[in-house]
Amino acid sequence: MSNGYSGADSFMGDVQITGDLYHGTSMIFSDENLKEQVEDVEGTGELLHALRSERSHYTAEVEECMGLPDTQQFGFIAQEVEEVLPERVSATTLAAERDTAGQEIHPSQDLKAVNHAGIIPLLVAGYQEQQRTIGVLTDRLDVLQEQLAACCANPDGGRVLQ
């Protein structure tokens, strides 16, 4: 459903699609001219640790009425993500479905959805933080190995530390 139509190739408002959407790519506006208060993302380790990835199947009823796939899915539970990253979750109401006689087949339903693409920058920042930590630990390990080698090279008990 669209709240409005603006132009030959754009919609204003929410769009709900039941079934599969096949497309070549999805692009998200990210131009620097559209942004302000840009800051590096830091401290993502705890946020990422608090997210629970899951694998699941949609219920048979959901598969039927929404046309969602019956195959195994990987993702998150929206209510769980909302506790950690509320800005990555949105709520919507799925309109009731009616037959040609106007009889309600499926009632309207309040649902939550996760912006999975919006979590990717956190994953990148988390990976970068992890690599920096590994670098620091590797440097420290190198120092400890040098100290151990110096100690082993001087078995008479005199310690030579650098």
Side-chain angles (χ1 to χ4, degrees), residues 92-107:
T92 189
T93 300
L94 189 63
E97 185 179 349
R98 300 183 182 280
D99 63 17
T100 56
Q103 295 296 322
E104 188 175 276
I105 300 170
H106 300 286

Side-chain angles (χ1 to χ4, degrees), residues 42-107:
E42 296 177 356
T44 59
E46 287 184 36
L47 290 174
L48 294 174
H49 187 72
L51 293 176
R52 181 178 71 94
S53 298
E54 52 88 15
R55 80 173 91 199
S56 61
H57 286 82
Y58 290 112
T59 65
E61 180 183 6
V62 166
E63 291 172 20
E64 176 192 335
C65 75
M66 294 177 66
L68 295 174
D70 62 355
T71 57
Q72 180 173 270
Q73 303 296 306
F74 293 91
F76 305 101
I77 303 293
Q79 288 81 351
E80 293 176 5
V81 173
E82 190 172 37
E83 292 176 14
V84 180
L85 298 166
E87 65 280 0
R88 295 290 150 245
V89 176
S90 64
T92 189
T93 300
L94 189 63
E97 185 179 349
R98 300 183 182 280
D99 63 17
T100 56
Q103 295 296 322
E104 188 175 276
I105 300 170
H106 300 286

Side-chain angles (χ1 to χ4, degrees), residues 7 101 127:
Y127 172 78

Side-chain angles (χ1 to χ4, degrees), residues 17-22 66-69:
I17 298 172
T18 58
D20 295 334
L21 169 65
Y22 294 94
M66 294 177 66
L68 295 174

Side-chain angles (χ1 to χ4, degrees), residues 101-123:
Q103 295 296 322
E104 188 175 276
I105 300 170
H106 300 286
S108 67
Q109 191 173 7
D110 293 330
L111 301 171
K112 294 189 177 193
V114 175
N115 175 350
H116 287 80
I119 295 174
I120 294 171
L122 299 177
L123 296 172

Side-chain angles (χ1 to χ4, degrees), residues 27-36 38:
M27 302 299 289
I28 298 172
F29 288 112
S30 193
D31 190 284
E32 68 182 23
N33 295 313
L34 301 175
K35 298 181 177 189
E36 63 183 11
V38 176

